[in-house]
Amino acid sequence: KGFHFLDGPYVEYKGAIPAEERTEKLQRLQSCFQDLITENSRTKIEILPKDKARELCVRLAQNFTKMTDDGKDMVRVVTIANEPLPCGGTHVKSTSSLKERNW
């Protein structure tokens, strides 16, 4: 689960990373994040029929069910860096705008 508020974005991670691997993993995440900023990937927002959205978000089956269990026929799908996700939150227009935030 992720939260993207200007004053404190974060992602909740469920799992266990051995203490001796945490620094390396954090450095790798920071590097990947910088690559995303450099790519300047545009954010795409679509309202799709639930079946089409499910096809796009297939790798997130359990999250998709949670996010779309509202009885509606249409789903808001946000695609960032070629990763489609069902999401109702706010998002940057492109990944390069994150550089301005010093994240």
Side-chain angles (χ1 to χ4, degrees), residues 44-50 52-53 73-78 87:
K44 180 173 145 183
I45 299 173
E46 303 172 279
I47 306 296
L48 300 171
K50 197 175 279 192
K52 175 67 175 167
D73 294 332
M74 303 298 278
V75 177
R76 183 175 184 261
V77 175
V78 177
C87 187

Side-chain angles (χ1 to χ4, degrees), residues 20-55:
E20 64 275 6
E21 294 178 21
R22 291 180 187 159
T23 299
E24 178 188 342
K25 298 280 186 202
L26 179 59
Q27 289 171 344
R28 179 77 178 119
L29 282 171
Q30 290 169 330
S31 175
C32 289
F33 186 75
Q34 291 304 315
D35 290 346
L36 284 173
I37 289 173
T38 302
E39 284 177 18
N40 188 25
S41 179
R42 304 276 313 157
T43 299
K44 180 173 145 183
I45 299 173
E46 303 172 279
I47 306 296
L48 300 171
K50 197 175 279 192
D51 290 342
K52 175 67 175 167
R54 184 176 283 112
E55 287 175 27

Side-chain angles (χ1 to χ4, degrees), residues 1 8 11 20 23 29 44 50 63 65 70 96 99 103:
K1 176 167 52 168
V11 174
E20 64 275 6
T23 299
L29 282 171
K44 180 173 145 183
K50 197 175 279 192
N63 290 341
T65 302
D70 58 6
S96 66
K99 187 174 188 174
W103 294 345

